[in-house]
C-alpha cells in the first residue's frame, strides 16, 4: 500500500483529491495539510510514500516545501498538483525531482493514470542492488518507452500497457483477460484489448483452453525475450 499525504489549502479541493486517491487500488490517503508548515509536520509524523503538493500555499510557495519534505521524510516522492502554468514553476519542479506535474483542473482518470504510472515505476525498483541498465531504465519510467511502440492503438495508454505487461510477467502460468483485469484494476474488455496488443507485438503468447461448452477461453502467457 502506498501512503499519500495531500497538501492543499482549499478544504473542498483536498476532499476531492482524497476521494480520487482512495479510489485507486494500492493507494490510501493517510493525512492532509493546508499549508507548508503543516505539510512538513505531517510528513515528519506520517512518513508518507507520496505527497500530492499544491504550489500556491498560504505561507510559502510549494516548491520551497520540497527540500523540507525530503529532510523529514527521506523516502517520500512528490507529485505536484497545481494551477501554476508558469514555465519557471514547471522547470523548478523538474529540478526538484518531482515524479509528475498535474495541472488543475483535472478529473479522476487523469490522476489515476499518473498514480498507476508512479506505482509501476516504484515497483520496478524493489531490489537492494540493480542487476543492470534495464532495471535503472524501468525505475526511471523508460521501460514503457522502449518496449511499447510509439504508435499504440487509439485509446490505449503507455502506463496501462506497462501495468498489464507487469501483471503478465508476474503471473504463475497464464492469465485470462478477466484475471488480468482484476489484477490491474481495469475492465475485462480493456484488459483483453491490451493483452491482444501484446500478443500481436510478440510480447505474449495465446493459448486456448477448451471447456465443456461455449467458446474456448483465451489464455495469455508472457513471451520471454
Amino acid at each position: 500500500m502506498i501512503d499519500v499525504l495531500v497538501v492543499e489549502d482549499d478544504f473542498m479541493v483536498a476532499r476531492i483529491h482524497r476521494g480520487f486517491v482512495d479510489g485507486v487500488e494500492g493507494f490510501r490517503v493517510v493525512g492532509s495539510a493546508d499549508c507548508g508548515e503543516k505539510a512538513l509536520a505531517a510528513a515528519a509524523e506520517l512518513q508518507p510514500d507520496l505527497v500530492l503538493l499544491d504550489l500556491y500555499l498560504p505561507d510559502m510557495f510549494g516548491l520551497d516545501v520540497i527540500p523540507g519534505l525530503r529532510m523529514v521524510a527521506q523516502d517520500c516522492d512528490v507529485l505536484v498538483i497545481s494551477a501554476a502554468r508558469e514555465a519557471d514553476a514547471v522547470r523548478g519542479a523538474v529540478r526538484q525531482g518531482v515524479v509528475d506535474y498535474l495541472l488543475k483542473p483535472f478529473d479522476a482518470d487523469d490522476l489515476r493514470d499518473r498514480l498507476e504510472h508512479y506505482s509501476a515505476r516504484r515497483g520496478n525498483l524493489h531490489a537492494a542492488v540493480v542487476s543492470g541498465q534495464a532495471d535503472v531504465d524501468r525505475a526511471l519510467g523508460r521501460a514503457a518507452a522502449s518496449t511499447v511502440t510509439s504508435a499504440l492503438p487509439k485509446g490505449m495508454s503507455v502506463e496501462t500497457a506497462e501495468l498489464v505487461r507487469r501483471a503478465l510477467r508476474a503471473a504463475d502460468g497464464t492469465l485470462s483477460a478477466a484475471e488480468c483485469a482484476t489484477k490491474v484494476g481495469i475492465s475485462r474488455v480493456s484488459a483483453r484489448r491490451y493483452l491482444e496488443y501484446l500478443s500481436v507485438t510478440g510480447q505474449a503468447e495465446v493459448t486456448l483452453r477448451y471447456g465443456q461448452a461455449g467458446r474456448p477461453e483465451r489464455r495469455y502467457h508472457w513471451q520471454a525475450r
Side-chain angles (χ1 to χ4, degrees):
M1 187 66 70
I2 296 175
D3 292 339
V4 178
L5 172 65
V6 175
V7 181
E8 166 63 55
D9 67 326
D10 187 308
F11 171 77
M12 289 305 298
V13 173
R15 186 175 180 179
I16 291 171
H17 291 177
R18 176 187 287 268
F20 284 174
V21 173
D22 286 338
V24 181
E25 184 177 358
F27 290 82
R28 65 181 177 189
V29 175
V30 294
S32 61
D34 58 10
C35 67
E37 183 179 357
K38 291 181 181 178
L40 295 176
E45 176 186 356
L46 300 171
Q47 295 295 304
D49 301 303
L50 180 66
V51 177
L52 302 189
L53 178 66
D54 186 19
L55 295 187
Y56 294 138
L57 300 174
D59 57 344
M60 63 181 77
F61 192 53
L63 294 184
D64 297 329
V65 179
I66 296 177
L69 289 172
R70 299 262 165 75
M71 290 180 64
V72 299
Q74 295 182 9
D75 291 333
C76 82
D77 292 313
V78 177
L79 192 162
V80 169
I81 294 180
S82 179
R85 296 173 179 268
E86 297 84 0
D88 285 346
V90 178
R91 284 195 293 265
V94 172
R95 285 195 296 269
Q96 294 271 27
V98 302
V99 298
D100 216 323
Y101 194 112
L102 181 58
L103 286 172
K104 297 177 179 177
F106 60 91
D107 59 29
D109 287 338
D110 291 329
L111 182 57
R112 175 186 294 275
D113 286 345
R114 282 157 176 78
L115 292 179
E116 289 178 345
H117 191 197
Y118 168 74
S119 178
R121 282 185 293 171
R122 179 182 173 90
N124 279 330
L125 192 61
H126 59 273
V129 178
V130 298
S131 61
Q133 185 63 47
D135 288 339
V136 178
D137 289 343
R138 281 192 292 270
L140 293 174
R142 293 175 181 161
S146 63
T147 56
V148 180
T149 67
S150 59
L152 276 170
K154 185 177 180 180
M156 294 176 64
S157 74
V158 169
E159 293 82 5
T160 304
E162 178 64 14
L163 290 173
V164 171
R165 185 181 293 103
R166 287 183 60 212
L168 196 58
R169 283 202 305 261
D172 183 15
T174 63
L175 277 184
S176 68
E179 291 165 348
C180 181
T182 299
K183 289 179 178 292
V184 176
I186 58 179
S187 70
R188 184 189 62 79
V189 173
S190 293
R192 169 75 177 269
R193 189 179 182 203
Y194 281 95
L195 289 167
E196 287 294 327
Y197 170 76
L198 294 180
S199 171
V200 169
T201 56
Q203 299 172 70
E205 181 181 9
V206 181
T207 57
L208 299 179
R209 176 181 292 177
Y210 290 88
Q212 294 183 353
R215 294 182 177 180
E217 180 184 47
R218 293 177 70 82
R219 309 277 312 176
Y220 302 85
H221 182 267
W222 177 249
Q223 187 70 32
R225 296 183 176 185

